[in-house]
Amino acid sequence: MPRLTHPRLVLTWAGLLLTAAVTVMVLVQAATEFMLDLEVFQDVGRALVNGQDLYSEDFPTRSGFRFIYPPFGAIIFAPLAPLDATVAQVVWSAATIASVWAILAMVAVRLKLDRPGIIALALTGVALLSEPLRSNLMFGQINVFLFLMVTADVLGFTPRRFRGVLLGVAAGIKITPAAFALMFLVRRDWASLARSVAAVFATIVVGHLARPAESLHFWTHEFWVTDRGGHPWFVPNQALSGLLTRARLTPEQIEIPVLGFFLVAAIAATWGAWQFTRRDRPVDALLLVALGVFVASPVAVTHHWSGVIIAFAFLLVPRRPLVRWTVAALALSHLIGTHYAYAPIADSPGEHLLQWLVGNLQGMTGIAAFAVLVVDAVLSSRAGSRTRPGSAARPGSEAEYDAPDAQEHREGAQDQRRGVLLPAAGVHRHGADHHDAQREGRHDDQPLQPTDEGGEDHADRAQDLGPADRLDRPVGEVLDVRQPLLGKRGAGGHDLAEPGDEEGSRQKDGNNPEGDVHGVSPIS
């Protein structure tokens, strides 16, 4: 788990101060500005309560914009109906800030960052300054809340018996989150997948019971209007469809490329997420799937890209240099909001080209980061294939996604540091390595000898890493390998699992998940 060194401590304090300043700015804006989409949400809540139409020309809109979500969404927005507009905006903005922190905190936990709550709070200010979040806060959009529900479910922060329900409810409000059920599929978490599907159908039933005729209208007509959220040429649309349309291709000309890219992205995201999940890299899988959803959607305006904020936490952990540079470019382009390059009018062909290149950087870096993550999954797969048979855990095994308190308990046990110098990879030594040491005539109280990076011994030892051990640690980090990592140690050096600890039982059997430490660059 990366520690807070002095430079990082300074940056953390700077981030906390920035978060405080941005929070004040956001709340002042909420109290003084006008949030268009939030007003529509209030309008539909009032229409539902008062028995007025939701989708016809008689919809009581104050802004002139209509409601485009399912009837279940109107039920969700009903609590906004009695609120004063200013109160609703302040409450909505405060909830958005809290949701951003919660998303980053969950991601930081799964990335095994030290003090994840504090790190998430330090990153919240930067995330709020990113263009997708600025758009969410300016319009009063719901996308941050939907991504919060998705993140909590797919990263395993909801109770196991209810896992999948939040994702299904999010998809019942706005269909896009349904794509993230792919995370359950690649983990073979059939129960959570079934619950998510059941939850979607439950929202449809509830909406139908509340408004039968309008529910039928939505699911037979409104749902199939793919540009109801905006036209492809709309500048904030940074999906591939927007990039091609702004390159002056006609809707007929972009139809096949966009459909083909969607199919390729779906296959690549599925395979890549599966590979990352096998190697206990759930945040990599989540970022890959999110980017696939953003760039391959028919229309994805920038406030739909709210999930890109996890890139800020992702940059704090060791990854291949190309991955980190590409994700950094993604984060920077969304921090700037490069699509504003379309604000000036371009006259000459050269100006049009420059405007297209700069104004579409948010979409282009999204496509590039998606492609690089897929390549990273390929390289990780090849590295994993060099390990001994039997070293990998079953993909998506439930122990990899235990409740956070259980995982933190295991990680805390692994942070005991007392006396044995580890090699450059900084790996823990588990029960299986105890037997390797006996076969080699070495005792546990003898220090392990470092080998050249990428050497045979390094590769052989890396494969025995457990899910909590896969991040590289600094040279010279000391641990007491004589202390049990997962519980009590029995005769012969086996780690005995505590009751109900599936992870421990796998360690006892010597069936550890395969490690993926090849090509990882240290944090500078």
Side-chain angles (χ1 to χ4, degrees), residues 87-119:
V87 173
Q89 291 186 173
V90 172
V91 171
W92 192 270
S93 297
T96 299
I97 295 170
S99 298
V100 169
W101 172 82
I103 291 169
L104 292 171
M106 289 186 286
V107 167
V109 169
R110 289 298 179 247
L111 289 173
K112 304 178 180 68
L113 295 174
D114 188 38
R115 299 181 181 179
I118 295 177
I119 294 299

Side-chain angles (χ1 to χ4, degrees), residues 213-232:
E214 287 165 313
S215 177
L216 182 64
H217 167 76
F218 179 86
W219 292 109
T220 59
H221 175 71
E222 193 78 16
F223 176 74
W224 304 100
V225 181
T226 57
D227 63 349
R228 66 183 186 275
H231 294 284

Side-chain angles (χ1 to χ4, degrees), residues 127-199:
L128 291 171
L129 289 175
S130 66
E131 197 279 331
L133 265 295
R134 297 201 305 267
S135 295
N136 268 270
L137 291 164
M138 180 174 64
F139 292 114
Q141 258 292 339
I142 194 175
N143 297 291
V144 173
F145 303 128
L146 299 180
F147 195 75
L148 171 66
M149 298 165 74
V150 168
T151 302
D153 246 4
V154 301
L155 292 188
F157 285 85
T158 48
R160 188 174 303 282
R161 68 178 64 183
F162 301 116
R163 196 163 299 163
V165 173
L166 280 182
L167 189 151
V169 171
I173 299 171
K174 191 172 184 177
I175 196 63
T176 304
F180 291 90
L182 182 65
M183 296 282 288
F184 295 138
L185 178 64
V186 299
R187 290 211 304 257
R188 302 179 188 175
D189 188 352
W190 310 121
S192 297
L193 182 61
R195 282 189 288 266
S196 64
V197 173

Side-chain angles (χ1 to χ4, degrees), residues 232-441:
W233 48 260
F234 187 41
V235 170
N237 174 29
Q238 292 290 308
L240 179 67
S241 61
L243 274 61
L244 296 179
T245 303
R246 289 188 292 276
R248 302 186 177 181
L249 297 179
T250 66
E252 294 75 18
Q253 290 173 323
I254 72 170
E255 185 174 349
I256 293 179
V258 169
L259 177 59
F261 182 74
F262 172 83
L263 295 175
V264 171
I267 295 171
T270 302
W271 185 85
W274 175 60
Q275 290 297 332
F276 285 139
T277 298
R278 292 181 65 204
R279 286 154 181 82
D280 190 37
R281 291 167 61 181
V283 176
D284 301 58
L286 176 59
L287 181 58
L288 176 66
V289 173
L291 290 175
V293 170
F294 302 151
V295 300
S297 293
V299 174
V301 296
T302 53
H303 60 69
H304 295 163
W305 291 62
S306 300
V308 80
I309 62 174
I310 68 176
F312 294 111
F314 184 85
L315 289 171
L316 298 181
V317 296
R319 290 296 183 266
R320 289 183 170 87
L322 181 59
V323 173
R324 298 188 72 186
W325 279 109
T326 309
V327 174
L330 171 74
L332 181 61
S333 67
H334 283 275
L335 191 61
I336 296 171
T338 58
H339 75 269
Y340 288 112
Y342 275 94
I345 297 176
D347 296 321
S348 67
E351 290 176 347
H352 277 292
L353 177 60
L354 181 61
Q355 191 175 55
W356 187 87
L357 291 173
V358 176
N360 294 304
L361 271 177
Q362 290 172 259
M364 288 190 289
T365 55
I367 295 173
F370 177 81
V372 168
L373 283 170
V374 172
V375 171
D376 186 40
V378 172
L379 297 177
S380 299
S381 173
R382 291 179 178 177
S385 66
R386 292 196 292 268
T387 61
R388 291 194 298 264
S391 62
R394 179 176 62 83
S397 54
E398 293 186 349
E400 293 185 49
Y401 296 92
D402 284 341
D405 54 350
Q407 180 158 338
E408 288 174 3
H409 174 74
R410 290 197 299 271
E411 292 173 358
Q414 293 164 352
D415 278 336
Q416 301 178 39
R417 293 166 168 80
R418 291 188 183 173
V420 178
L421 183 65
L422 295 186
V427 299
H428 294 287
R429 304 294 288 174
H430 286 245
D433 289 325
H434 178 82
H435 294 291
D436 291 340
Q438 289 181 330
R439 286 195 298 269
E440 297 170 9

Side-chain angles (χ1 to χ4, degrees), residues 42-61:
Q42 273 195 297
D43 290 341
V44 76
R46 291 169 180 170
L48 181 73
V49 172
N50 298 329
Q52 296 170 294
D53 291 343
L54 302 183
Y55 301 107
S56 73
E57 294 181 356
D58 296 327
F59 172 63
T61 174

